[in-house]
Amino acid sequence: MRNVLITTFVRKLIVRVLTPHNIAVFASGAGSNTRELLQHFSSHPSVNIRLVVSNKPDAGVLQVAKEFKIPTLVNADLAFYESNCIGEMLAEQEVEFIVLAGFLLKVPDSLVAQYNGKMINIHPALLPKFGGKGMYGNRVHSAVKEQQESETGITIHFVNEHYDEGQVIFQASCPVLPTDTVEDIKRKVQDLEHAHFAKVVEKVVTGGL
Ligand code: GRF
């Protein structure tokens, strides 16, 4: 009996680790998180970053994707993301998860529904604080400083139809000192992002979370 249980457990583990999973990363900025993701998954046995999607033709993330020889899709038009076209294209490419790594457009409800529980975002603060429409980049860190917070951090969460309100998967925090500038806060938060994002994505995608 014990042997049967162990064999079943090992079999499930092997299936979980080796089932191929394709990810599309959506990003609008410099791409430092995308770089971490690409590095982390570059020789992964079962997780592939299939595509980098951007709404900004001049985003640094496109250069990062090029360095890693990952195909890119650039479209600045919100209507494109709202159309069925993107969802169909991702399905055709067997994309199972979407990871938002600094994507500044609101993802339309149709795509959120298609990737329900399979779309992950990273936010540079401890949600529910400092989230919502218009809260991105240095606006978040400036607000943290203005409100004299003693800590901030990162939130990795599933995406639902409301800005920054999906189920939290992971949070990590760092202290904010009264002497910290907005740039200092940004750097501390970025360090947390780079340390945790890819590992958490891996756990979600391979079924470990
Ligand atoms: C990160 O701070 C992330 O939390 C936010 O957008 C920023 C993207 O930075 N959602 P980068 O383009 O990955 O350097």
Side-chain angles (χ1 to χ4, degrees):
M1 181 61 181
R2 193 161 168 266
N3 282 350
V4 173
L5 283 177
I6 292 173
T7 314
T8 312
F9 173 76
V10 170
R11 200 174 285 148
K12 277 189 183 162
L13 195 67
I14 291 172
V15 169
R16 204 184 84 192
V17 172
L18 294 183
T19 305
H21 304 285
N22 294 323
I23 298 177
V25 177
F26 285 32
S28 311
S32 67
N33 283 284
T34 303
R35 178 183 293 283
E36 294 294 327
L37 290 163
L38 289 170
Q39 247 149 18
H40 185 87
F41 291 116
S42 60
S43 51
H44 195 279
S46 65
V47 181
N48 307 307
I49 299 192
R50 258 283 158 90
L51 184 66
V52 170
V53 177
S54 186
N55 64 318
K56 291 259 174 171
D58 57 350
V61 70
L62 296 171
Q63 192 53 43
V64 174
K66 200 170 165 195
E67 269 176 49
F68 284 82
K69 300 187 171 51
I70 302 296
T72 56
L73 170 68
V74 185
N75 199 319
D77 192 357
L78 182 59
F80 168 73
Y81 297 94
E82 281 170 348
S83 70
N84 285 337
C85 176
I86 176 113
E88 282 167 14
M89 204 207 70
L90 294 173
E92 258 166 39
Q93 296 205 23
E94 299 182 334
V95 168
E96 188 188 351
F97 284 86
I98 294 178
V99 174
L100 307 180
F103 187 62
L104 294 183
L105 287 184
K106 178 147 184 341
V107 180
D109 291 356
S110 57
L111 205 55
V112 172
Q114 181 178 337
Y115 282 90
N116 181 22
K118 297 202 162 186
M119 193 184 293
I120 303 164
N121 183 42
I122 184 161
H123 186 79
L126 294 170
L127 292 174
K129 284 182 168 179
F130 306 106
K133 193 163 190 240
M135 289 303 276
Y136 60 86
N138 275 355
R139 293 185 188 193
V140 175
H141 309 310
S142 301
V144 166
K145 181 160 178 63
E146 264 164 36
Q147 298 200 21
Q148 300 176 9
E149 294 288 311
S150 60
E151 63 167 11
T152 187
I154 61 168
T155 303
I156 299 169
H157 64 96
F158 289 113
V159 177
N160 70 9
E161 58 283 3
H162 305 291
Y163 272 112
D164 301 327
E165 286 185 18
Q167 186 199 330
V168 172
I169 303 166
F170 175 88
Q171 290 187 306
S173 60
C174 57
V176 179
L177 305 176
T179 50
D180 278 346
T181 63
V182 170
E183 279 307 307
D184 292 332
I185 299 170
K186 177 182 174 179
R187 188 182 34 77
K188 288 182 185 181
V189 168
Q190 243 178 7
D191 286 349
L192 287 178
E193 292 182 334
H194 298 168
H196 296 289
F197 194 26
K199 287 181 194 157
V200 173
V201 167
E202 180 180 9
K203 278 195 187 150
V204 173
V205 168
T206 58
L209 259 186

